[in-house]
Amino acid sequence: MRIDVVSIFPEYLAPLELSLIGKARQDGLLELNVHDLRTFTTDKHRTVDDTPYGGGAGMVMKPEPWAQALESIAASQMPANSQDEPTKKPVLIVPSPAGERFNQALAYELAEEEQLVFACGRYEGIDERVIEWADEHFTVRPVSLGDYVLNGGEVAVLAMVEAIGRLLPGVVGNPESLVEESHSDGLLEYPVYTKPSSWRDREVPAVLLSGNHGKIAQWRRHEQYRRTAERRPDLLPEFDAGRLTRADRSAFGELGYDVVDGQLRRRPDGDLPA
Ligand code: SAM
């Protein structure tokens, strides 16, 4: 995969040289280029912002430096996958609190792309015409990291590149570890423990020391249900409950959920089994 990031603070992206993503770059699994938006300005002060039309607080990022930067990225060659395949438009991700929410499903979807371009906004954001114009060269997706406002898109890009990059084949040493993670199947991960088995008067759950793999798997599944019901009940209506075993349904029953038409339904408060 190739990733291009445009920012007025290219040094903000330096952590992408570290750890698994840095190693993936060294190993050639990920090509990542960071571009300074100011190199695409033409005036002496390298201006990237101006006052907003219609008045109001703050500054808005000027369109032309963005067009120059994005055109130069669009013009640079992608290593062709297959000569027969039609050239696909790269995906341009515009971090924005007004975008679709980033989540694990979107990370998986974007990990399938050959090229991603990230446009880091600052100030009050980028002139909206850039987003419309960019549609000629890119599949444009405004994406939000969450329902809060950051000072710029760089932190959002760090999070998204890490979440996407670790899904690329070969980046995480043991691909099994991706399968059981939080959000991979719509649930949170079960709690994990390591040695020593007894620590400050706290014991590791006995089942994990039993060597009984069936029981361990069931305990972990039920811990996923419990943790998700406690911390993120909003995830449960989307969970595919159609294939749950009787023991799994009963575990959800103890948490106050019934399976109705393949979906989990919360019983009215207090209506738990006797
Ligand atoms: N005026 C904008 C609004 O209210 O939607 C917020 C602009 S914010 C101060 C500056 C930049 O930070 C945005 O252009 C975007 O790139 C980035 N940003 C802020 N919050 C974000 C979030 N939740 N997710 C992704 N990017 C965000």
Side-chain angles (χ1 to χ4, degrees):
M1 173 183 276
R2 169 175 159 177
I3 292 180
D4 291 89
V5 184
V6 185
S7 163
I8 59 168
F9 294 119
E11 56 284 15
Y12 223 119
L13 285 307
L16 295 175
E17 285 166 19
L18 305 174
S19 186
L20 288 180
I21 299 297
K23 182 157 187 311
R25 292 172 73 181
Q26 280 167 16
D27 293 348
L29 302 172
L30 175 64
E31 180 191 339
L32 197 145
N33 312 298
V34 181
H35 310 267
D36 183 350
L37 181 68
R38 290 192 197 277
T39 61
F40 298 94
T41 56
T42 47
D43 66 314
K44 171 165 98 179
H45 300 292
R46 308 173 90 205
T47 312
V48 292
D49 60 320
D50 209 333
T51 52
Y53 276 118
M59 301 293 271
V60 174
M61 295 191 102
K62 290 161 70 68
E64 191 53 25
W66 276 108
Q68 294 292 334
L70 295 174
E71 262 169 354
S72 117
I73 292 169
S76 61
Q77 281 293 318
M78 258 304 287
N81 210 3
S82 148
Q83 298 202 324
D84 312 326
E85 267 184 48
T87 322
K88 203 176 161 211
K89 284 203 259 184
V91 176
L92 173 65
I93 296 166
V94 185
S96 163
E100 68 180 299
R101 276 284 287 274
F102 186 72
N103 59 21
Q104 191 66 12
L106 185 51
Y108 270 108
E109 189 184 329
L110 294 173
E112 296 293 319
E113 296 292 336
E114 286 179 14
Q115 186 177 9
L116 300 176
V117 181
F118 290 88
C120 300
R122 282 268 153 183
Y123 317 114
E124 292 307 316
I126 304 170
D127 187 308
E128 190 64 22
R129 291 167 295 180
V130 175
I131 316 301
E132 296 158 17
W133 163 88
D135 201 40
E136 286 171 29
H137 303 287
F138 302 92
T139 301
V140 183
R141 293 184 79 159
V143 178
S144 170
L145 202 59
D147 295 341
Y148 42 78
V149 179
L150 302 164
N151 285 334
E154 291 79 6
V155 167
V157 170
L158 288 174
M160 288 190 262
V161 169
E162 183 152 317
I164 296 163
R166 66 197 296 281
L167 300 177
L168 300 177
V171 173
V172 170
N174 180 1
E176 276 290 298
S177 59
L178 300 175
V179 177
E180 293 197 344
E181 284 184 322
S182 295
H183 303 293
S184 57
D185 59 358
L187 299 171
L188 305 184
E189 199 190 43
Y190 48 79
V192 293
Y193 303 86
T194 186
K195 297 176 190 71
S197 63
S198 180
W199 174 78
R200 298 197 181 200
D201 296 331
R202 289 165 196 276
E203 307 299 322
V204 167
V207 63
L208 298 179
L209 310 175
S210 71
N212 184 328
H213 296 299
K215 280 210 165 126
I216 291 171
Q218 188 186 60
W219 179 86
R220 285 178 165 167
R221 261 199 328 278
H222 293 180
E223 284 298 303
Q224 285 190 277
Y225 305 161
R226 185 186 57 73
R227 185 176 261 194
T228 310
E230 274 173 19
R231 297 183 185 175
R232 291 293 306 276
D234 57 301
L235 296 176
L236 291 179
E238 297 298 316
F239 178 68
D240 176 10
R243 285 176 301 163
L244 288 178
T245 64
R246 190 182 292 185
D248 290 340
R249 284 168 193 248
S250 143
F252 269 119
E254 285 174 21
L255 295 166
Y257 287 84
D258 290 322
V259 178
V260 181
D261 297 332
Q263 289 195 305
L264 291 164
R265 294 273 161 77
R266 179 98 173 99
R267 278 186 231 118
D269 272 353
D271 196 4
L272 291 170

